[in-house]
Amino acid sequence: MSVAPTFRLKPPSPLPGWGLSFGVMLTMLSLIVLLPIGALLLRGAQIGLPELAAVLGRDRVQAALLLSFRAALIAAGFNLVFGLALAWVLVRYDFPFKRVIDASVDLPFALPTAVAGIALTAIYAPNGVFGGPLMDWFGLRVAYSELGIWIALIFVGLPFVVRTVQPVIEEIDREVEEASATLGASRARTFTRIILPMLTPALLTGFALSLARSVGEYGSVIFIAGNLPLQTEIAPLLIVIRLEEYDYDGAVAIALAMLGISFVMLLAINLIQ
């Protein structure tokens, strides 16, 4: 005995149909991402590999690229650890002014990067509130050094880790931790074997976002870095300098190097994730 097939109507979607949605998405993606990157790659192909290699082989360019990616990795690693700690405290504990601290996490999103750079420079300069005591007591120079670059990149990248991990922590049921404790697991073992695996995808996503923001950061860094060639000059600043000198080929070469290195690093993070 055959049963007649039943047909169900799918619930209506608030978005338009597949064709229109895909067309709008592809158009916006092309205008904002694909076309600018394609134009950069086309200009690089016109310049040629020998000229690109000659530009990237200069000591000043290599020092700027190395500094940018080294500082970005260090800042993203710092944000990975302390961003997790901050998100955990905001979710699991109640304390005075919790709402104020939670809202202040988003401050780097709203604050212009130039304003952040000026504020950090004023605080950590040799005659600043924090920079003066650090210089007098420990001989530690923060502003106009690589350490100042790290602080600026940590400032702009921390919210990405906190806001990525925070919703995941809120979804973790505390009964899982209680069950682990009743089975005799220590707090460290519970965290490393139960909590951390749940948070790892979100942590890697936050790390990638923080890294991507730090690599291309410009406004908050140029004020506190000092911008000394071969010492505290970042790659984005060197691109701007090349453009001001009308050396468009040099600017394109540095931009292509940053694009390629960033793509490889983000691809590796996604593969690990």
Side-chain angles (χ1 to χ4, degrees):
M1 180 177 179
S2 61
V3 180
T6 58
F7 299 95
R8 296 180 180 178
L9 295 177
K10 293 183 178 180
S13 172
L15 296 177
W18 156 254
L20 180 59
S21 299
F22 183 78
V24 172
M25 179 272 297
L26 188 60
T27 300
M28 297 303 299
L29 182 64
S30 300
L31 293 175
I32 297 175
V33 179
L34 299 181
L35 287 179
I37 294 179
L40 182 63
L41 295 175
L42 180 61
R43 181 59 185 268
Q46 294 175 352
I47 296 174
L49 289 178
E51 182 64 25
L52 293 176
V55 173
L56 297 178
R58 300 170 184 169
D59 293 339
R60 185 177 178 181
V61 175
Q62 292 182 359
L65 289 172
L66 181 60
L67 174 61
S68 292
F69 285 96
R70 180 176 65 244
L73 282 171
I74 292 173
F78 183 93
N79 288 334
L80 182 67
V81 177
F82 289 92
L84 171 60
L86 178 57
W88 186 272
V89 170
L90 289 175
V91 173
R92 290 302 180 92
Y93 300 99
D94 292 325
F95 50 90
F97 304 106
K98 176 180 176 180
R99 292 177 179 268
V100 176
I101 297 177
D102 191 16
S104 65
V105 172
D106 296 326
L107 188 61
F109 288 146
L111 192 67
T113 55
V115 176
I118 295 173
L120 291 173
T121 304
I123 293 174
Y124 290 103
N127 57 349
V129 177
F130 295 144
L134 290 174
M135 189 68 178
D136 296 337
W137 298 346
F138 305 103
L140 188 61
R141 187 182 184 90
V142 179
Y144 318 123
S145 67
E146 186 172 346
L147 180 57
I149 298 176
W150 298 351
I151 293 177
L153 296 183
I154 290 170
F155 175 81
V156 300
L158 183 62
F160 290 95
V161 178
V162 176
R163 293 311 185 204
T164 304
V165 177
Q166 196 170 359
V168 182
I169 297 177
E170 292 176 349
E171 295 178 357
I172 297 178
D173 194 345
R174 296 196 180 189
E175 293 181 356
V176 177
E177 304 171 41
E178 296 174 357
S180 176
T182 57
L183 294 175
S186 62
R187 291 186 177 182
R189 187 173 180 83
T190 299
F191 178 78
T192 56
R193 300 299 297 272
I194 297 177
I195 303 300
L196 190 58
M198 297 180 184
L199 298 178
T200 297
L203 285 172
L204 289 176
T205 301
F207 177 82
L209 293 174
S210 177
L211 178 65
R213 172 65 187 273
S214 300
V215 166
E217 180 60 24
Y218 175 79
S220 63
V221 175
I222 58 173
F223 294 99
I224 198 172
N227 308 322
L228 298 176
L230 303 176
Q231 296 183 28
T232 59
E233 185 179 55
I234 59 174
L237 174 61
L238 191 55
I239 292 176
V240 174
I241 292 175
R242 291 290 180 263
L243 291 175
E244 292 176 347
E245 296 173 348
Y246 301 101
D247 183 9
Y248 300 117
D249 292 347
V252 169
I254 301 172
L256 284 174
M258 294 191 67
L259 177 64
I261 298 173
S262 300
F263 178 79
V264 172
M265 294 173 64
L266 294 177
L267 179 61
I269 294 172
N270 288 328
L271 291 177
I272 294 173
Q273 183 177 351

